[in-house]
Amino acid sequence: MQIALDEAYNGIGNGDGGPFGSVITKENHIIGRGHNRVLKNGDPTCHGEMEAIRDACRNSKTITAATASNFSKNTNKEKGCINYLYN
C-alpha cells in the first residue's frame, strides 16, 4: 500500500491529476503501477487503477491480469480500495 501511496504523491507532485495511486501485484511481485494522469493526458479514463493495469499489461506482455491483485490508495484520510482482478 505504501508504494501505491507513493505513486499518488508522485502524480500530485507532477500535476498529473488527482491524488490516486495503484499497484498491481502477482505472486507477491509488482507487475504494474500507476497514478492518476487525467489532467496530464486530458483523458478521463486515466485513473490510477487503469494506468496500473496498462503498465501491468505492458510489463507482462499480455492483455489479462489473471489472479493479480490491485492495491489502490488515495492521499486522503479514507481507506484505500483493494480489488481482485481475474480473467
Side-chain angles (χ1 to χ4, degrees), residues 22-24 32-34 47-57:
S22 185
V23 175
I24 307 289
R33 60 177 67 203
H47 287 235
E49 298 88 349
M50 295 301 296
E51 293 295 290
I53 291 167
R54 290 177 179 120
D55 189 49
C57 290

Side-chain angles (χ1 to χ4, degrees):
M1 292 301 281
Q2 182 60 50
I3 295 170
L5 187 59
D6 292 344
E7 275 292 325
Y9 281 115
N10 184 24
I12 292 169
N14 292 332
D16 292 342
F20 307 99
S22 185
V23 175
I24 307 289
T25 64
K26 185 173 182 179
E27 298 173 3
N28 295 320
H29 297 318
I30 294 173
I31 61 171
R33 60 177 67 203
H35 58 265
N36 187 296
R37 290 185 174 91
V38 170
L39 297 177
K40 178 181 180 183
N41 295 341
D43 181 345
T45 69
C46 292
H47 287 235
E49 298 88 349
M50 295 301 296
E51 293 295 290
I53 291 167
R54 290 177 179 120
D55 189 49
C57 290
R58 276 191 301 271
N59 292 334
S60 62
K61 296 178 179 47
T62 182
I63 60 169
T64 63
T67 65
S69 300
N70 175 5
F71 298 94
S72 302
K73 185 70 177 149
N74 63 47
T75 59
N76 299 331
K77 301 273 185 212
E78 303 166 14
K79 293 182 180 179
C81 301
I82 299 176
N83 305 298
Y84 296 95
L85 307 172
Y86 299 98
N87 66 352

